[in-house]
């Protein structure tokens, strides 16, 4: 046993997460004490301090950190979108903080989530992960202030005033953000290129990739904030996988009977019902497409107005989506691969969303203003998408945090779709009604033809 005071050594453990300290803290302290006694030191060496800081901070960047930061990134994007959509009259006191959140906070959190995910799957070392995290955090600050500076500069130019104060810092802030993003990208890409067997050339190629990718990423973040939410959602889903989180699926007990999947339904009634609904959707979708793009020539209500014809066509298409979704639900429920609720809840939510879309386009005057029905339609489609993804995530059912992760990921997907993508994308999805109907018309026939082949499961 060493007679040295272990308190200076144990203070280094504060850099590590609690779980790591519980599992490995005593071993690390014992090793440092033995080395200090051998070399005649009374405290940690400089190398031990640096290693504790880098490895300790790196240990905090794992799957859990990726889930938390990605969730916060989705929330930040949603908050920013709400501020821009509903509080545009609040002046700089609201507009500028919202802009900082969307162009600075959300991208920085997404970048940190991506770094944590790469470290969780052992594609990134502690030093590179900590350095990349610091670069992306500062780049987010530069990007956020750069967005505010651009807004102020635009207003000044519109009023014929000179570019002064923060407005004059637009290019320097943007340049600093892009440069820091380049450094982070190079650190993230280099390990993957080395694993690809490129050797010493990996570092040079990583720098080239970073020089090209960083400006493009900055432009996407500024011009299309929804990109941030999409990347954050992908990180959320991947980081929740058991393999990434180090969670093993619980093995069945010895002698326990294996779970039997639900037997598929073989009745022809379901196939006929799905084809009937799909046929209705296909006919309605064809009429809706014709009405949307050519209705101005013959519609008695459009009277030569292409905008009115398009709005009426979207109404028909949105209504046609409802039987198409029902037909899809019948086909999927017949396969019995998922519980009935995991099929019909998304189908019902999506159908409600398209019904709300049809209602909004039917009663609106086409001025593009947001209404309760429009937002409700986006939220309903977001719920359908979230439920569909979350119930199919291969989480370990025996792990206590599985339910919490599903709820968090689901809320993130729903919120991001509703406020970032859904308000513009949902009406356009109605144009997929005839395509979905055609797909559903093929599925029952394909199922029957496979069932007729001996040895091929239906």
């Amino acid at each position: 046993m060493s007679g040295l005071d272990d308190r200076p050594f144990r203070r280094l453990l504060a850099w590590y997460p609690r779980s790591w300290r519980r599992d490995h803290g005593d071993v690390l302290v014992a090793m440092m004490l033995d080395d200090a006694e051998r070399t005649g030191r009374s405290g940690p060496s400089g190398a031990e301090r640096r290693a504790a800081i880098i490895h300790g901070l790196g240990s905090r960047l794992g799957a859990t950190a990726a889930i938390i930061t990605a969730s916060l990134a989705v929330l930040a994007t949603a908050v920013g979108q709400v501020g821009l959509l509903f509080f545009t009259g609040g002046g700089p006191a609201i507009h500028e903080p919202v802009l900082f959140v969307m162009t600075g906070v959300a991208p920085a959190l997404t970048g940190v989530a991506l770094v944590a995910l790469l470290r969780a799957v052992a594609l990134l070392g502690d030093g590179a992960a900590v350095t990349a995290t610091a670069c992306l955090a500062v780049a987010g600050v530069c990007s956020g202030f750069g967005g505010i500076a651009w807004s102020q500069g635009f207003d000044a130019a519109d009023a014929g005033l000179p570019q002064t104060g923060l407005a004059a810092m637009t290019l320097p802030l943007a340049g600093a953000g892009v440069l820091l993003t380049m450094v982070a990208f190079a650190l993230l890409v280099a390990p993957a290129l080395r694993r690809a067997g490129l050797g010493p050339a990996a570092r040079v190629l990583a720098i080239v990739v970073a020089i090209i990718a960083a400006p493009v990423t900055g432009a996407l973040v500024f011009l299309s904030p929804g990109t941030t939410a999409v990347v954050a959602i992908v990180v959320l889903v991947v980081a929740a996988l058991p393999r990434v989180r180090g969670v093993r699926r619980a093995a069945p007990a010895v002698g326990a009977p294996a779970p039997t999947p639900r037997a598929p339904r073989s009745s022809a009634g379901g196939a006929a019902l799905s084809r009937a609904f799909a046929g209705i959707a296909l006919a309605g979708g064809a009429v809706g497409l014709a009405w949307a793009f050519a209705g101005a020539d013959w519609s008695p209500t459009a009277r030569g107005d292409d905008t009115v014809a398009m709005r009426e066509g979207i109404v028909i298409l949105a209504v046609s989506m409802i039987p198409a979704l029902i037909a899809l639900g019948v086909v999927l429920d017949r396969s019995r691969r998922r519980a009935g609720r995991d099929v019909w809840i998304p189908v019902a939510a999506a159908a409600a969303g398209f019904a709300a879309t049809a209602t909004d386009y039917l009663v609106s005057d086409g001025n593009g203003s947001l209404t309760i029905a429009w937002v409700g339609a986006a939220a309903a489609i977001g719920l359908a998408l979230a439920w569909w993804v979350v119930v199919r995530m291969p989480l370990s059912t025996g792990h206590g945090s599985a339910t919490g992760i599903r709820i968090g990921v689901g809320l993130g997907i729903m919120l991001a779709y509703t406020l970032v993508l859904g308000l513009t994308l949902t009406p356009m999805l109605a144009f997929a009604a005839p395509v979905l109907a055609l797909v559903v018309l093929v599925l029952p026939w394909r199922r029957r033809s496979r069932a007729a082949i001996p040895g091929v499961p239906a």
Side-chain angles (χ1 to χ4, degrees), residues 195-284:
R195 288 199 172 195
L198 295 178
R203 182 175 298 177
V204 176
L205 186 56
I207 294 174
V208 174
V209 171
I211 291 174
I212 297 172
V216 175
T217 301
L220 282 175
V221 166
F222 189 78
L223 299 175
S224 180
T227 305
T228 302
V230 172
V231 175
I233 289 173
V234 172
V235 173
L236 264 176
V237 174
V238 175
L241 300 179
R243 183 176 299 177
V244 176
R245 296 169 52 242
V247 177
R248 297 181 180 271
R249 292 182 182 273
V254 177
T260 56
R262 298 194 306 165
R265 295 173 181 169
S266 58
S267 64
L273 183 64
S274 67
R275 286 196 295 269
F277 276 109
I280 295 172
L282 181 61

Side-chain angles (χ1 to χ4, degrees), residues 164-182:
T164 59
L166 187 60
M169 296 294 293
T170 302
L171 289 179
L173 287 168
V178 169
L179 181 61
L180 289 166
T181 305
M182 286 181 185

Side-chain angles (χ1 to χ4, degrees), residues 5-25:
D5 183 4
D6 67 349
R7 286 178 295 180
F9 299 90
R10 288 198 173 274
R11 280 196 287 268
L12 293 180
L13 297 181
W15 294 101
Y16 290 88
R18 182 180 302 174
S19 59
W20 195 97
R21 295 197 300 267
R22 183 182 60 249
D23 297 336
H24 310 289

Side-chain angles (χ1 to χ4, degrees), residues 69 73 105-117 132-133 136 185 188 228 231:
T69 49
V105 175
L109 288 170
T110 302
V112 173
L114 183 59
V115 170
L117 176 62
T133 297
L136 291 171
F185 274 21
L188 299 181
T228 302
V231 175

Side-chain angles (χ1 to χ4, degrees), residues 4-369:
L4 294 175
D5 183 4
D6 67 349
R7 286 178 295 180
F9 299 90
R10 288 198 173 274
R11 280 196 287 268
L12 293 180
L13 297 181
W15 294 101
Y16 290 88
R18 182 180 302 174
S19 59
W20 195 97
R21 295 197 300 267
R22 183 182 60 249
D23 297 336
H24 310 289
D26 291 338
V27 175
L28 178 60
V29 170
M31 291 175 60
M32 289 191 294
L33 286 171
D34 290 343
D35 188 68
E37 188 176 29
R38 181 177 57 82
T39 56
R41 292 181 287 106
S42 60
S45 65
E48 288 173 338
R49 294 181 188 276
R50 289 190 297 271
I53 293 172
I54 294 174
H55 186 228
L57 292 176
S59 299
R60 295 179 181 273
L61 296 171
T64 300
I67 292 173
I68 293 173
T69 49
S71 300
L72 292 175
V74 172
L75 180 61
T77 306
V79 168
Q81 189 73 7
V82 169
L84 291 179
L85 289 175
F86 300 105
F87 300 99
T88 54
I94 293 180
H95 179 73
E96 292 182 355
V98 163
L99 200 58
F100 184 85
V101 168
M102 289 194 69
T103 61
V105 175
L109 288 170
T110 302
V112 173
L114 183 59
V115 170
L117 176 62
L118 292 177
R119 188 196 170 278
V121 296
L123 286 178
L124 206 60
D126 292 327
V130 172
T131 305
T133 297
C135 288
L136 291 171
V138 179
V141 174
C142 293
S143 177
F145 280 115
I148 296 174
W150 177 87
S151 178
Q152 292 181 356
F154 183 86
D155 293 340
D158 194 46
L161 300 175
Q163 303 288 316
T164 59
L166 187 60
M169 296 294 293
T170 302
L171 289 179
L173 287 168
V178 169
L179 181 61
L180 289 166
T181 305
M182 286 181 185
V183 175
F185 274 21
L187 292 170
L188 299 181
V189 173
L193 295 178
R194 282 197 296 269
R195 288 199 172 195
L198 295 178
R203 182 175 298 177
V204 176
L205 186 56
I207 294 174
V208 174
V209 171
I211 291 174
I212 297 172
V216 175
T217 301
L220 282 175
V221 166
F222 189 78
L223 299 175
S224 180
T227 305
T228 302
V230 172
V231 175
I233 289 173
V234 172
V235 173
L236 264 176
V237 174
V238 175
L241 300 179
R243 183 176 299 177
V244 176
R245 296 169 52 242
V247 177
R248 297 181 180 271
R249 292 182 182 273
V254 177
T260 56
R262 298 194 306 165
R265 295 173 181 169
S266 58
S267 64
L273 183 64
S274 67
R275 286 196 295 269
F277 276 109
I280 295 172
L282 181 61
V287 172
L289 287 175
W291 204 298
F293 293 105
D297 297 331
W298 41 265
S299 170
T301 52
R303 298 185 180 91
D305 191 331
D306 291 333
T307 301
V308 174
M310 178 61 70
R311 190 169 71 248
E312 293 174 347
I314 290 176
V315 171
I316 298 172
L317 287 164
V319 171
S320 301
M321 261 298 218
I322 297 175
L325 289 167
I326 294 174
L328 178 63
V330 171
V331 172
L332 295 177
D333 191 46
R334 287 179 67 241
S335 71
R336 311 287 282 181
R337 294 177 181 174
R338 290 283 168 184
R341 67 178 184 182
D342 294 335
V343 171
W344 290 111
I345 288 179
V347 166
F354 286 108
T357 298
T359 302
D360 180 75
Y361 272 75
L362 186 64
V363 301
S364 68
D365 56 3
N367 61 5
S369 300

